């Protein structure tokens, strides 16, 4: 018997199995069983159907396998939304039939059972949303959620791993890969939950190596972070079968949503529950048929919701979703990478609750909103109010110090040309910096003498990149940093 006929029989048996189980479910519903175990019986049947679908759907139409890597690059309660985003993405893929062995998750995993969580063990991604944490694989958590482990996972290099579950993208030339990253970023860099950040050139080099190894058919990369376009602009080739979209262009802020004070947001939560770009593509997946909607169609939905739909707020609180890489892949349907969702279109949360004029806040300032909200809600004279005030003032003080340090260093090195040189933005299609090693050296030198840039300070990555582009060397920065930060 040929392999094609065998596969055909297996598919027919899978379909027949699903039909038979579905009939049993319908029959049970019609009989209105009064058995006390009815609910548990239904769950068993639903799990059987889901497992059968997973075995069939994880194989793409060409016989290849679908793989997914989901990355939340932050930790801490104030960054709740990043792990919520990743958990929501997992539920979409799982519901669409991908198996856990093909979904690899990076998250610090300090949110669900955090002492601040009003619903212990539960994570939601929208106001009054359902739990998206249940069942999420804990592949690379805590100190194992590192950039080096992410590179090893993408490349399928188990020997390079340090800790974690050991799962890697062990893909072949006919396989499809979906990568989703959500967190804080700056020009040319995004953070990881533990250890060093991811530099744009290192990430793209890993993707090029994956292509050179002939270990995928095509890949889709969704990236959410401030200045996220700078991770691919001028770097990602258009001939390595990768299609990428970013939440912003190379010089824009990203935006958090479902924040304290927003319409419909529970007073129980003092953090933002999602990010605009992320909830836009995921809530679109929740309600659309992944077998019919193309990547380009979803891009248009997300572009409009992330940009135009936020313009009613004013104050420029919008960003431009950008496409990079191989544009020909945008004609593919979402199910090519995410699996085939059921025809019922049943969603994690049936109603799209994104308000017409949402309250959004810069991703870089969401922590300030958190501290202010805690301060504002705490009883007058209470310990909670005092602690919230101290945290708020400490963060503001830290930001002022970073601002002072970088500006002072720039003036010491570049004199009157400081502002002109450091704030220069390159034309689209040009990478942030010519010498990435120079950029990394200058950042390490700054942190050695002036302390961590921190999540806030990575907004100055362009300043350091422009120093490199202007010919500033490590010794010059050492001298300036000693004067500015001592």
């Amino acid at each position: 018997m040929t392999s094609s006929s065998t596969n055909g029989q297996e598919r027919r048996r899978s379909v027949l199995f699903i039909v038979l189980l579905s009939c049993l479910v319908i029959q049970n519903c019609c009989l209105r069983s009064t058995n006390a175990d009815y609910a548990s019986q239904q769950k068993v049947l639903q799990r059987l159907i889901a497992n059968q679908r997973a075995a069939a759907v994880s194989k793409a139409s060409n016989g290849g396998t679908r793989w997914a890597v989901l990355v939340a690059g932050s930790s801490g309660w104030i960054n709740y939304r990043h792990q919520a985003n990743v958990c929501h993405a997992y539920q979409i893929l799982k519901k669409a039939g991908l198996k856990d062995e093909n979904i690899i998750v990076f998250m610090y995993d300090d949110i669900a059972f955090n002492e601040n969580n009003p619903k212990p063990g539960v994570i939601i991604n929208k106001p009054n949303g359902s739990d998206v944490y249940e069942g999420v694989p804990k592949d690379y958590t805590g100190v194992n959620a590192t950039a080096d482990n992410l590179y090893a996972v993408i490349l399928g290099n188990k020997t390079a791993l340090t800790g974690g579950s050991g799962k890697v993208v062990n893909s072949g030339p006919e396989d499809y890969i979906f990568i989703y990253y959500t967190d804080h970023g700056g020009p040319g860099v995004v953070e990881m939950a533990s250890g060093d950040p991811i530099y744009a050139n290192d990430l793209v080099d890993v993707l090029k190596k994956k292509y050179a190894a002939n270990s995928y058919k095509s890949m889709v990369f969704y990236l959410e972070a401030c200045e996220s376009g700078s991770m691919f602009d001028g770097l990602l080739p258009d001939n390595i079968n990768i299609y990428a979209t970013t939440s912003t262009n190379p010089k824009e802020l990203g935006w958090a949503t479902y924040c304290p004070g927003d319409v419909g947001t529970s007073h129980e939560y003092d953090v933002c529950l999602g990010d605009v770009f992320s909830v836009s593509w995921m809530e679109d997946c929740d309600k659309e048929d992944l077998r019919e909607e193309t990547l380009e169609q979803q891009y248009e939905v997300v572009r409009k919701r992330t940009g135009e739909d936020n313009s009613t707020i004013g104050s420029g609180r919008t960003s431009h979703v950008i496409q990079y890489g191989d544009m020909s892949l945008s004609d593919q349907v979402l199910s090519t990478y995410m699996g085939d969702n059921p025809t019922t279109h049943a969603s994690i949360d049936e109603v799209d609750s994104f308000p017409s004029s949402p309250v959004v806040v810069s991703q870089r300032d969401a922590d300030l909103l958190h501290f202010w909200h805690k301060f504002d809600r705490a009883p007058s004279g209470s310990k909670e109010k005092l602690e919230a005030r101290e945290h708020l003032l400490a963060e503001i003080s830290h930001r002022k110090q970073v601002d002072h340090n970088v500006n002072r260093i720039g003036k010491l090195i570049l004199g009157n040309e400081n502002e002109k040189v450091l704030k220069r933005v390159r034309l689209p299609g040009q990478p942030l910096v010519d010498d990435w090693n120079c950029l990394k050296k200058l950042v390490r030198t700054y942190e050695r003498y002036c302390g961590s840039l921190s999540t806030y300070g990575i907004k100055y990555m362009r300043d350091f990149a422009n120093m490199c582009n202007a010919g500033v060397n490590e010794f010059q920065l050492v001298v300036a940093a000693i004067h500015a930060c001592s």
Side-chain angles (χ1 to χ4, degrees):
M1 183 178 292
T2 65
S3 59
S4 60
S5 61
T6 300
N7 290 338
Q9 289 184 2
E10 289 179 351
R11 283 195 294 271
R12 285 192 291 273
R13 283 198 295 268
S14 297
V15 171
L16 180 60
F17 182 76
I18 292 171
V19 170
L20 289 174
L21 286 176
S22 299
C23 289
L24 285 174
V25 173
I26 295 171
Q27 183 182 38
N28 285 345
C29 291
C30 294
L31 290 175
R32 296 183 181 181
S33 172
T34 58
N35 192 314
D37 293 330
Y38 173 73
S40 62
Q41 292 171 359
Q42 293 298 96
K43 288 183 178 180
V44 170
L45 288 170
Q46 289 168 2
R47 276 199 300 272
L48 287 170
I49 294 173
N51 290 338
Q52 186 69 9
R53 290 194 67 257
V57 172
S58 64
K59 292 291 184 182
S61 59
N62 68 339
T65 299
R66 297 177 176 94
W67 296 84
V69 182
L70 310 177
V71 186
S74 67
S75 63
W77 177 251
I78 58 176
N79 293 310
Y80 180 104
R81 63 194 185 279
H82 300 136
Q83 293 183 52
N85 292 339
V86 156
C87 290
H88 188 174
Y90 165 79
Q91 300 299 342
I92 289 170
L93 300 176
K94 183 66 174 178
K95 176 190 135 194
L98 270 70
K99 295 185 288 187
D100 282 354
E101 65 190 63
N102 300 122
I103 304 174
I104 304 168
V105 178
F106 283 74
M107 58 185 286
Y108 204 83
D109 197 25
D110 59 348
I111 298 301
F113 294 97
N114 191 286
E115 63 181 4
N116 294 294
N117 193 349
K119 297 179 179 179
V122 171
I123 294 178
I124 61 176
N125 197 213
K126 66 194 303 182
N128 304 310
S130 58
D131 179 25
V132 293
Y133 182 69
E134 183 179 2
V136 176
K138 312 302 188 298
D139 292 310
Y140 298 92
T141 61
V143 297
N144 297 318
T146 65
D148 286 341
N149 274 346
L150 176 60
Y151 301 153
V153 163
I154 294 173
L155 293 173
N157 185 1
K158 286 192 174 186
T159 62
L161 291 171
T162 303
S165 68
K167 285 163 58 178
V168 297
V169 180
N170 188 26
S171 54
E174 296 300 315
D175 292 351
Y176 297 93
I177 302 173
F178 174 65
I179 301 177
Y180 166 55
Y181 172 96
T182 174
D183 190 38
H184 295 288
V189 68
V190 292
E191 294 188 316
M192 283 298 287
S194 182
D196 294 332
I198 296 172
Y199 281 87
N201 71 310
D202 293 332
L203 175 62
V204 174
D205 283 349
V206 166
L207 300 180
K208 290 178 180 177
K209 289 177 182 177
K210 188 72 173 175
Y211 175 76
N214 192 30
S215 55
Y216 66 91
K217 188 176 183 66
S218 57
M219 181 189 301
V220 167
F221 202 130
Y222 283 7
L223 200 158
E224 164 103 57
C226 291
E227 290 101 1
S228 53
S230 64
M231 295 298 291
F232 297 125
D233 198 28
L235 294 171
L236 183 66
D238 61 5
N239 61 353
I240 60 172
N241 300 336
I242 296 177
Y243 166 82
T245 65
T246 61
S247 60
T248 76
N249 68 27
K251 59 181 181 179
E252 291 177 317
L253 292 171
W255 301 95
T257 191
Y258 300 145
C259 297
D262 203 350
V263 176
T265 301
S266 171
H267 293 296
E268 293 180 299
Y269 290 90
D270 54 16
V271 290
C272 300
L273 304 179
D275 291 300
V276 177
F277 170 83
S278 291
V279 300
S280 295
W281 77 259
M282 288 188 285
E283 290 179 7
D284 180 64
C285 286
D286 285 339
K287 66 182 180 181
E288 298 296 335
D289 190 330
L290 304 184
R291 298 164 300 180
E292 296 179 0
E293 186 174 27
T294 66
L295 290 163
E296 178 66 27
Q297 289 171 328
Q298 182 164 91
Y299 162 76
E300 286 298 328
V301 170
V302 176
R303 181 192 64 79
K304 183 175 185 295
R305 183 166 162 180
T306 303
E308 296 171 15
D309 287 358
N310 279 338
S311 63
T312 56
I313 304 167
S315 303
R317 295 183 179 182
T318 62
S319 67
H320 297 83
V321 179
I322 307 294
Q323 297 169 303
Y324 295 97
D326 187 346
M327 294 299 105
S328 69
L329 298 178
S330 65
D331 290 334
Q332 294 179 327
V333 291
L334 297 171
S335 62
T336 304
Y337 302 90
M338 301 180 188
D340 303 306
N341 62 343
T343 56
T344 59
H345 296 180
S347 64
I348 292 173
D349 294 295
E350 292 292 343
V351 180
D352 184 353
S353 65
F354 198 70
S356 58
S357 297
V359 174
V360 299
V361 61
S362 159
Q363 291 176 355
R364 203 164 276 148
D365 292 335
D367 55 347
L368 294 180
L369 176 63
H370 163 72
F371 292 135
W372 167 252
H373 190 70
K374 285 184 73 71
F375 172 78
D376 188 55
R377 287 176 55 194
S380 179
S382 66
K383 179 183 178 182
E384 291 79 8
K385 199 173 193 71
L386 178 62
E387 289 179 348
R389 179 178 181 275
E390 289 176 348
H391 285 135
L392 179 61
L393 293 179
E395 177 61 24
I396 293 172
S397 176
H398 168 73
R399 293 181 176 210
K400 288 181 177 179
Q401 188 62 54
V402 173
D403 294 341
H404 168 80
N405 292 345
V406 176
N407 291 331
R408 179 63 176 157
I409 288 171
K411 289 178 180 178
L412 288 170
I413 296 175
L414 300 168
N416 294 333
E417 294 292 304
N418 174 43
E419 285 292 320
K420 180 180 178 181
V421 173
L422 297 190
K423 303 306 176 186
R424 185 175 295 150
V425 178
R426 289 184 155 184
L427 295 174
Q430 290 184 298
L432 175 73
V433 65
D434 296 323
D435 186 346
W436 288 90
N437 287 329
C438 171
L439 174 59
K440 295 170 188 176
K441 286 180 181 178
L442 293 193
V443 171
R444 285 196 298 267
T445 299
Y446 171 89
E447 295 191 325
R448 186 183 311 127
Y449 293 96
C450 301
S452 172
L453 274 173
S454 74
T455 295
Y456 169 77
I458 60 175
K459 76 175 195 174
Y460 287 110
M461 294 297 291
R462 179 170 281 109
D463 295 55
F464 291 108
N466 284 330
M467 289 183 196
C468 290
N469 295 335
V472 174
N473 60 43
E474 185 178 3
F475 176 75
Q476 288 174 287
L477 189 68
V478 168
V479 174
I482 290 173
H483 281 83
C485 303
S486 59

